[in-house]
Amino acid sequence: MWNMTSGVDEAAMLQAGEIIRKGGLVAFPTETVYGLGANALDAEAAAKIYAAKGRPSDNPLIVHIADFSALEAIAEEIPEAAMKLAKAFWPGPLTMIFRKKDAVPYGTTGGLDTVAVRMPDHPVALALIRAGGGYIAAPSANTSGRPSPTKASHVADDMDGKIDAIIDGGSVGIGLESTIVDLTEKNPVILRPGYINEEMLGKIIGPVHLDEALLKDDPNLRPKAPGMKYRHYAPRASLTIVEGEAEAVRRKINELVAQESAKGRQAGIIATDESAAFYSRGIVKSVGTRSEEITIAAHLYSILREFDELEVSKIYSEAFETPQMGQAIMNRLIKAAGHQILHAE
Ligand code: TXA
Ligand code: MG
């Protein structure tokens, strides 16, 4: 484990780059979540990622680049809209889908003729991409089925002994995976919501819509990003989201937690700084403050991991329909809850 919490360690970075060039695996921080990196142009290296994560081989990887010029070597055509989005949001938490060039092996794209590309906004990530040859395939650095890692200790919990190195860059800033936009079809579609939302994209390229399969709980609709069809993560204790007006939600959660207590069981509660004091029983964890929604996104995965370590029979979470990241936060939370949502009256 290399510590680069206070900046890029150039000597260690050369070694990390060498591991990538030789086909090894290095976990590294980005602004969204930690990634598990390998040389994206080497099918054998990419295969090691799938093995370490226990990831289904039809779930494609995102190729991370550090310079816009690198895009031309891997994307067949770069639509005008992509140029505009790159200019507005790269480096940053936006992934775009392109038709791939032959340089990108099918082992990286899960057999698809398209490739997902992103330029992360993190000095350690950019330095590693450059030291490693310019193209790093990196999914989130968690075991398949667990929440994405937002700090190096999460990566170590899942990956110790399975990968060549971990670079510790401290806690990530955003905490949810990048927004994915598909520009290969006539109308741009958001395949995965993230920090960069519909409105922000719309200001640059006009109307953009969320993949319909993500809005409805319909098993016949197949999400366009193969990874979005997986349940992803289910906490050990069953999770229920309670939505509604703030006071009604608190009352309902207190009632549900009291029911568990009456049965001699302890429940967990995902609250906010504003609401935590209103819960009298159960294990209460504040995910952040509603006045700064980024704090909610940043702590969500960490809190879900913490509850897996505790003896709780049920977990109840408030809903977080916040203005900018609400769609992304709720997309991840609803998946973790297996679509169990209660409306408090
Ligand atoms: O923020 C992020 O994007 C993080 C950091 C490490 O950069 N990476 C990440 O990767 O979240 P991963 O592998 O956990 O998620 C990649 C998602 C999956 O849902 C996958 O199906 C989708 O991107 N994807 C990748 N290539 C695609 C393609 N060619 N077409 C459609 N979806 C694609
Ligand atoms: Mg992932």
Side-chain angles (χ1 to χ4, degrees), residues 30 32-35 55 59-62 64 95 97 112 114-116 118 138-140 177-178 180 191-192 224-228:
T30 80
T32 57
V33 298
Y34 273 76
R55 178 176 175 115
N59 190 1
L61 307 173
I62 295 173
H64 295 65
T95 296
I97 310 285
L112 299 177
T114 52
V115 60
R118 132 168 156 87
S140 47
E177 305 83 349
S178 62
I180 304 179
L191 308 190
R192 179 173 72 183
K224 293 193 174 73
M228 297 300 278

Side-chain angles (χ1 to χ4, degrees), residues 2-87:
W2 281 300
N3 189 324
M4 301 196 197
T5 43
S6 49
V8 176
D9 172 342
E10 300 292 349
M13 193 52 82
L14 283 178
Q15 290 181 54
E18 186 70 15
I19 294 175
I20 297 282
R21 287 170 190 271
K22 288 194 168 144
L25 302 182
V26 178
F28 62 98
T30 80
E31 80 281 33
T32 57
V33 298
Y34 273 76
L36 178 55
N39 180 357
L41 307 186
D42 173 351
E44 260 173 62
K48 290 184 193 162
I49 290 180
Y50 288 90
K53 280 181 63 89
R55 178 176 175 115
S57 61
D58 69 343
N59 190 1
L61 307 173
I62 295 173
V63 178
H64 295 65
I65 58 174
D67 300 284
F68 188 77
S69 59
L71 184 59
E72 283 156 22
I74 54 175
E76 191 58 58
E77 52 207 284
I78 304 169
E80 183 68 32
M83 301 278 238
K84 289 186 183 159
L85 290 178
K87 204 158 174 233

